[in-house]
Amino acid sequence: MKILVPVKRVIDYNVKARVKADGSGVDLTNVKMSMNPFDEIAVEEAARLKEAGIATEVIAVSCGVAACQETLRTAMAIGADRGILVETEVELQPLAVAKLLKALCDKEQPQLVICGKQAIDDDANQTGQMLAALAGWPQATFASKVAIADGKATVTREIDGGLETLALTLPTVVSTDLRLNEPRYATLPNIMKAKKKPLDTVTPAELGVDVAPRLTTLKVVEPAKRSAGIMVADVQQLVAKLKNEAKVI
Amino acid sequence: MTLLVIAEHDNTDLKSVTLNTVAAARKVGGEIHVLVAGSGCPGVAKAASRIDGVSCVKLADADHLKEQAAEDVAAVVLALAGEYSHIFAPASTFGKNFLPRVAALLDVAQISEIVAVETPDTFVRPIYAGNALATVKSADPVKVVSVRTTGFDAVACTGTAPVVAVEPPAASGKTCFVGRELTKSARPELGAAKVIVSGGRGLGSGENYHKVLDPLADRLGAAMGASRAAVDAGFVPNDYQVGQTGKIVAPQLYIAVGISGAIQHLAGMKDSKIIVAINKDPDAPIFQVADYGLVADLFEAVPALLNTLG
């Protein structure tokens, strides 16, 4: 069974995003970029399924600029066998990425796609569900546990009220939540090995996908700052403030 | 222009996030229909028919819709989509699950987690964990939109709209529901609570979390939340998590106890009206967003707070 894992290059999760002065977007020049944390969890899960003998091959896919190769190398250092870069300078939106992934699924015929539930830059939470819909596959989003047996995926999902478990026919799309696993640190030998793993590059045109954006960003601004609060000396003062000033209790 | 709002419910009760979602739809203008898709849920449709501003409720009632699988809910919405200019759903785990399927099969972009409506095709949404607000314009014929419900005040329920039954498409048959474990609690829902008491790593254990925070939450009639650190450490279940990838809340009063305030946590609660932070580290980032900060040992401060409240 092949597993396909999409990985996105995003701002490192420890870096605070700064809005550009001209309001055109977020300033990413000289900002540390990393693999989207949810995608790292997805790669780890796929690697574990391969180590358990359930998967035969793990293919990492990244869509975007040439620098996404670094993200693919990171995925291969964690355990992906090879990488595919869909290279484009166009700003990709979730629907376009889902279409690119659908085209690659048609070609590679994976039984399972494991993706991050959302990217921490656009916070869209769409791509996995869109891919599943376009492919006519079932889906299990926000997974905290995945088991594959007898041609089925049994997935526990984190939902608003607690947990839900679904059994899905393969092929299927699973999107990862935070508690699915703890990704390993890539070791130096594995980072070196990853450099020798195959990495193919294709273009959206070669895959026959129109990636033109559907949404136009008119402006990006910083949210209103909370006005500075005060430090209270003790609990009595806190309660007095809440009662008399804020009037919330 | 007619808009469709997808109701969130558990076949028995209409969830209040539906009222916030209708509020967002009303900002667009036009006629509003609500879809209730489920099993044995005419009571929910009746409740939906009372929502102010709604002119028609569509009820898709079928056995296979009982668990509201994403594949099946999306199929019902797609069968109706031709009549609508906008399709709105709450950005809860329910809405996030099925709505992108609808957008993909309509071949349109989805606009996720809007917090404001500028015009019928232009919306404001937070990106980068709420560190930026993007105004985006859609060029698609149908606007598929998920709504961050804390961004819109719930509408009232004084109306009377007709309920019309619709025939849902057949089940996808590719998903089989196995089970659901819901956290049982007599407390208010996290997303709709006026007061939230939230705990972090500083509490040290699940036992301490409940020992220290339960009495305070009881006294204030509060819902209980947690930081990711507290959930990852197993103090409380996942559905307590407040943050960029957990629940987004905006209560009247948010009391953060032993939470340092990572940007991912702040993203989930910084729109609260009043924020109180209790932490022993004076440099904790939570104090930068708190209206009232108290540097203290939480194990002494919280019982003292309870005492003072009487």
Side-chain angles (χ1 to χ4, degrees):
Chain A
M1 181 179 82
K2 280 194 207 176
I3 302 179
L4 192 132
V5 185
V7 293
K8 186 174 184 183
R9 177 177 181 266
V10 297
I11 189 169
D12 187 85
Y13 83 104
N14 281 314
V15 177
K16 188 174 184 295
R18 306 234 173 258
V19 172
K20 284 187 203 166
D22 65 1
S24 63
V26 164
D27 194 356
L28 294 177
T29 40
N30 300 322
V31 166
K32 186 183 177 201
M33 303 294 278
S34 299
M35 189 192 299
N36 180 42
F38 290 98
D39 303 349
E40 225 177 306
I41 294 170
V43 179
E44 174 67 34
E45 195 65 18
R48 289 184 191 186
L49 286 169
K50 188 174 175 203
E51 285 157 5
I54 294 165
T56 51
E57 188 183 32
V58 177
I59 308 162
V61 177
S62 194
C63 305
V65 295
C68 295
Q69 286 185 31
E70 296 162 23
T71 317
L72 287 169
R73 293 291 174 203
T74 307
M76 290 189 271
I78 296 172
D81 297 297
R82 60 187 168 100
I84 302 173
L85 169 66
V86 183
E87 191 174 348
T88 174
E89 293 286 326
V90 177
E91 177 224 328
L92 294 175
Q93 293 176 351
L95 181 62
V97 176
K99 288 180 178 178
L100 293 170
L101 295 173
K102 162 73 167 60
L104 286 173
C105 285
D106 288 344
K107 209 167 134 192
E108 300 284 349
Q109 297 286 316
Q111 288 293 296
L112 182 61
V113 173
I114 311 180
C115 57
K117 74 166 180 178
Q118 84 190 60
I120 60 165
D121 51 1
D122 62 9
D123 283 332
N125 197 328
Q126 299 174 8
T127 306
Q129 297 91 312
M130 286 181 156
L131 168 62
L134 294 174
W137 295 354
Q139 68 180 46
T141 50
F142 327 141
S144 64
K145 196 176 165 197
V146 175
I148 309 285
D150 308 325
K152 274 193 183 307
T154 304
V155 181
T156 302
R157 310 175 51 229
E158 298 200 356
I159 58 169
D160 282 341
L163 298 170
E164 175 182 277
T165 304
L166 300 176
L168 310 122
T169 55
L170 300 178
T172 189
V173 176
V174 171
S175 84
T176 62
D177 217 316
L178 290 168
R179 281 163 285 276
L180 181 58
N181 60 50
E182 242 178 82
R184 69 195 70 179
Y185 287 101
T187 60
L188 188 60
N190 285 340
I191 293 170
M192 299 312 288
K193 261 189 246 165
K195 290 185 181 171
K196 296 206 178 72
K197 290 184 180 176
L199 195 163
D200 294 327
T201 302
V202 293
T203 63
E206 284 164 5
L207 294 172
V209 176
D210 173 11
V211 293
R214 304 293 189 83
L215 300 177
T216 315
T217 300
L218 302 181
K219 66 173 176 187
V220 175
V221 298
E222 257 187 66
K225 283 218 163 54
R226 286 187 78 92
S227 49
I230 58 158
M231 300 304 287
V232 293
D234 54 30
V235 165
Q236 284 71 26
Q237 196 192 351
L238 173 62
V239 171
K241 291 276 183 196
L242 290 176
K243 277 192 173 145
N244 307 324
E245 198 174 84
K247 297 187 173 43
V248 285
I249 55 170
Chain B
M1 201 164 61
T2 311
L3 296 80
L4 183 66
V5 172
I6 319 303
E8 180 162 346
H9 65 92
D10 58 6
N11 295 318
T12 309
D13 295 314
L14 180 72
K15 300 283 176 193
S16 62
V17 288
T18 311
L19 306 180
N20 306 84
T21 309
V22 169
R26 286 182 84 172
K27 302 266 184 199
V28 175
E31 204 176 311
I32 298 172
H33 295 180
V34 169
L35 170 67
V36 174
S39 173
C41 52
V44 176
K46 188 136 192 259
S49 71
R50 294 193 198 102
I51 303 173
D52 283 8
V54 171
S55 63
C56 180
V57 174
K58 305 250 165 134
L59 171 61
D61 198 323
D63 288 349
H64 74 272
L65 293 173
K66 182 165 179 246
E67 309 303 342
Q68 301 176 33
E71 296 79 1
D72 296 326
V73 175
V76 177
V77 178
L78 282 161
L80 297 172
E83 303 169 38
Y84 299 101
S85 60
H86 294 70
I87 297 171
F88 275 42
S92 54
T93 53
F94 164 74
K96 286 171 177 173
N97 194 31
F98 79 87
L99 197 63
R101 290 187 78 101
V102 173
L105 294 175
L106 291 173
D107 194 25
V108 302
Q110 175 180 312
I111 304 127
S112 287
E113 301 221 22
I114 64 158
V115 292
V117 175
E118 299 266 292
T119 69
D121 63 7
T122 305
F123 307 89
V124 180
R125 58 179 303 263
I127 52 174
Y128 291 88
N131 285 306
L133 287 172
T135 304
V136 295
K137 186 180 162 81
S138 166
D140 287 319
V142 184
K143 279 58 170 170
V144 174
V145 174
S146 74
V147 175
R148 180 170 288 188
T149 50
T150 55
F152 301 88
D153 291 332
V155 295
C157 293
T158 58
T160 46
V163 176
V164 180
V166 294
E167 192 60 38
S172 82
K174 290 178 177 168
T175 308
C176 173
F177 177 80
V178 178
R180 204 171 277 151
E181 288 167 53
L182 299 180
T183 307
K184 288 190 184 65
S185 169
R187 298 183 197 284
E189 255 181 81
L190 197 48
K194 291 204 161 46
V195 181
I196 294 173
V197 172
S198 201
R201 200 201 304 264
L203 284 150
S205 70
E207 195 187 330
N208 286 343
Y209 176 97
H210 289 293
K211 198 172 77 189
V212 175
L213 298 186
D214 283 7
L216 182 62
D218 287 342
R219 168 64 183 79
L220 296 169
M224 298 185 78
S227 68
R228 178 186 169 185
V231 176
D232 282 356
F235 298 180
V236 286
N238 62 284
D239 52 302
Y240 280 57
Q241 187 180 327
V242 171
Q244 181 184 15
T245 66
K247 291 206 178 64
I248 310 285
V249 300
Q252 294 290 305
L253 173 60
Y254 187 92
I255 304 180
V257 179
I259 292 178
S260 63
I263 49 176
Q264 290 81 6
H265 184 75
L266 303 184
M269 44 65 83
K270 67 186 169 56
D271 292 326
S272 305
K273 184 163 173 265
I274 297 290
I275 296 171
V276 171
I278 301 174
N279 201 303
K280 66 179 175 193
D281 174 11
D283 297 323
I286 190 82
F287 288 122
Q288 289 162 22
V289 301
D291 297 280
Y292 304 113
L294 176 62
V295 179
D297 179 350
L298 68 93
F299 294 102
E300 287 163 19
V302 175
L305 176 58
L306 199 59
N307 237 335
T308 312
L309 288 167

